[in-house]
Amino acid sequence: YLASHNSRIWAIEKESLNAWYLDVESIGGTATKFPLGGIFKRGGSLLFVAEWSLDEGNGLSASLAFFTEEGEVAVYTGTDPSTAATWQLKGVYRIGKPLGKDAWFKAGGDIAVCTDIGLIPLSQAVSRDYGALTSSAISNPIEDEWSQAVAERTSRPWVCEVWPTKQMLLVAIPPGDTAPPGMFVANILTGAWTFYTAWDATTLQLFGSRMFWGTDEGTIV
C-alpha cells in the first residue's frame, strides 16, 4: 500500500508492522524501514496508510496515519522520519477493525473508515472513548443493518467511495451465505441511507464524474 506525505512516498510491507519511506521527491532508490511493532499493543499487521489533516486552531496540520487490521491507528506529524526532532508520534487510537484496505474515504481533511463497529471518522476516534464511537458513526442510522452485514458478509473485503456529482457515498458489501450482494448508499447531503441491490462490486474507483467498479468475474461496470 502506498501513500504520499510531505513530498515523500510511504509504503507498507505486507503482513507486517513495517512501513518504508523514500527520500523527498523520489520515486525510486533505496527505501528506509520504519518499524512500528513497538507502537501497537494489539499486534496484527498494517493494512493501509493515509494522510490526515486536523485543524488544531492555527490552521490545518497534515499528519500521517497508519492503520492496522486490529483497529489501531498511529498518527505521526513532521517532515523527516529519520530524526526525532522533526518527526513525532501524536498518539495511538482505537477505531474498530477496518473491513478492508480500501474501505475508507477522505471527508475534507478527515478520514472515515468502514469498521466492524460502524463507519467511523478518525477525528472522533481521537476525541472520544472507544466505547462511545458507535454513537458518532456516520452509519449510526443503520446501526443494526451494518452490524448484521458485518456478521454475515465476510467472503471478501469491503470497499467504499464518494460520488460527489451524484451526492452519494457507496459502500460495497460482499454477498453472504443467504444474503445477496449490494451496496449501502448514503445521501451525503441529508445523511439518509438505503440499500441498492444487484450492484456487486469488488472495487470502486471514481474517474472524472463517473463511477467504475470491478466484479468477481473480471468485468468493469
Side-chain angles (χ1 to χ4, degrees), residues 54 71 75:
L54 180 67
V75 178

Side-chain angles (χ1 to χ4, degrees), residues 15-221:
E15 298 177 354
S16 80
L17 287 171
N18 295 324
W20 297 77
Y21 62 89
L22 296 177
D23 291 336
V24 173
E25 298 184 351
S26 297
I27 59 172
T30 302
T32 302
K33 182 189 288 189
F34 187 72
L36 290 156
I39 300 298
F40 298 110
K41 297 179 180 180
R42 306 180 72 84
S45 60
L46 291 172
L47 190 61
F48 67 94
V49 57
E51 193 171 61
W52 178 56
S53 298
L54 180 67
D55 190 344
E56 297 181 329
N58 55 354
L60 289 176
S61 174
S63 303
L64 194 63
F66 298 90
F67 295 77
T68 75
E69 62 183 6
E70 294 298 320
E72 290 183 291
V73 189
V75 178
Y76 284 84
T77 185
T79 56
D80 186 357
S82 66
T83 171
T86 57
W87 187 255
Q88 296 178 332
L89 176 65
K90 295 180 67 173
V92 180
Y93 313 98
R94 287 189 67 190
I95 198 172
K97 293 183 179 181
L99 298 174
K101 66 181 180 65
D102 295 315
W104 64 277
F105 64 94
K106 283 287 189 74
D110 206 356
I111 297 172
V113 185
C114 297
T115 77
D116 61 345
I117 62 171
L119 181 52
I120 308 294
L122 180 53
S123 58
Q124 294 298 314
V126 169
S127 59
R128 288 174 176 259
D129 182 80
Y130 176 75
L133 285 179
T134 54
S135 62
S136 59
I138 299 172
S139 57
N140 183 257
I142 56 166
E143 180 179 359
D144 291 342
E145 291 83 357
W146 188 281
S147 297
Q148 184 177 357
V150 169
E152 294 179 349
R153 299 169 181 267
T154 59
S155 60
R156 64 172 185 248
W158 294 27
V159 294
C160 66
E161 185 65 89
V162 175
W163 195 355
T165 56
K166 300 296 183 182
Q167 301 173 352
M168 297 164 66
L169 164 64
L170 307 177
V171 181
I173 57 179
D177 291 339
T178 60
M183 297 187 191
F184 287 131
V185 182
N187 184 314
I188 59 177
L189 294 181
T190 67
W193 286 85
T194 189
F195 186 77
Y196 279 21
T197 61
W199 286 17
D200 185 11
T202 59
T203 184
L204 290 163
Q205 183 63 57
L206 185 69
F207 181 72
S209 61
R210 304 181 68 185
M211 182 65 69
F212 292 79
W213 69 75
T215 71
D216 270 332
E217 292 75 28
T219 302
I220 296 176
V221 181

